[in-house]
Amino acid sequence: EVGAKWSSADGKFNAYISGFYIDWTAIQLLTTVVLNVNGTTIRRSLIDNAGAASSRGFDLALRYRPVRGLNLAVDTGYTNARLDETAPSLGGGKGERIPYVPRWTASGSVGYDFALGGSVTGRVGATGRYVDARPNYFLADPAGNVSAFMPAYFILDLRAGATFGPWDVGVRLTNVTNRRAILSSSTLAFQDVPPFGVAANAAVVAQPRTYGLTVSRKF
């Protein structure tokens, strides 16, 4: 890994960038196995070694404070993670993307602190997060899981608050657009319980739109 940092003469702007290359031997990945226990077919997840793999990419972070109280931040990253040889026990082919690794991720935030008079200060802010599409299984998964791409998603959070003396009050709104972002998924080509042969798909989604209120006091 190599990187560099840079700051403007007035200290208002900062940049950080790094590039990386990872060469794995016997990388450990999550897989699914189908077992027969006393005549009943069950599915279990376990960690298995997938052979050689490599990952390369970069990370970039930018920070900017144009005026007092205003803070801007942007972070982005790129990762290309693939198998360097076939992994028969996991159904992965040489050159295939490693599941659950997005190529692109990014986040941005803005925060502003300001005086409201006397000893009272206020604050507002917003944060956005982006995750690129990523596969959930290798193409030839031996347990019957069908490889599918989980869609890219963007989630926006808002926040505001005020401090007066020892008291602090804050409100937040997470996942403003109520985006049903898929964090993980199971896409089966078959199932072993009635109705037989019907695909059984499931997904874990991001927390829905949520409102929050916090009140705290320093002693």
Side-chain angles (χ1 to χ4, degrees), residues 90-102:
L90 280 75
K94 182 178 180 180
E96 196 171 341
R97 287 180 58 180
I98 294 177
Y100 285 94
V101 180

Side-chain angles (χ1 to χ4, degrees), residues 5-116:
K5 299 180 180 181
W6 179 83
S7 297
S8 62
D10 58 7
K12 292 183 176 181
F13 182 78
N14 295 274
Y16 313 87
I17 187 170
S18 64
F20 63 88
Y21 174 77
I22 302 173
D23 186 7
W24 271 299
T25 299
I27 184 175
Q28 293 182 321
L29 296 173
L30 183 67
T31 187
T32 304
V33 295
V34 180
L35 305 174
N36 187 296
V37 180
N38 297 325
T40 301
T41 300
I42 62 174
R43 305 168 64 84
R44 291 292 183 266
S45 296
L46 54 81
I47 301 296
D48 194 7
N49 288 41
S54 60
S55 177
R56 56 183 63 85
F58 70 87
D59 295 296
L60 174 66
L62 305 175
R63 303 290 184 267
Y64 184 44
R65 294 176 294 170
V67 296
R68 182 177 180 180
L70 180 61
N71 293 279
L72 307 175
V74 174
D75 295 88
T76 186
Y78 173 80
T79 302
N80 185 358
R82 297 179 179 274
L83 292 176
D84 290 336
E85 62 183 20
T86 58
S89 63
L90 280 75
K94 182 178 180 180
E96 196 171 341
R97 287 180 58 180
I98 294 177
Y100 285 94
V101 180
R103 284 183 175 173
W104 289 98
T105 59
S107 66
S109 66
V110 54
Y112 184 53
D113 300 330
F114 51 92
L116 290 173

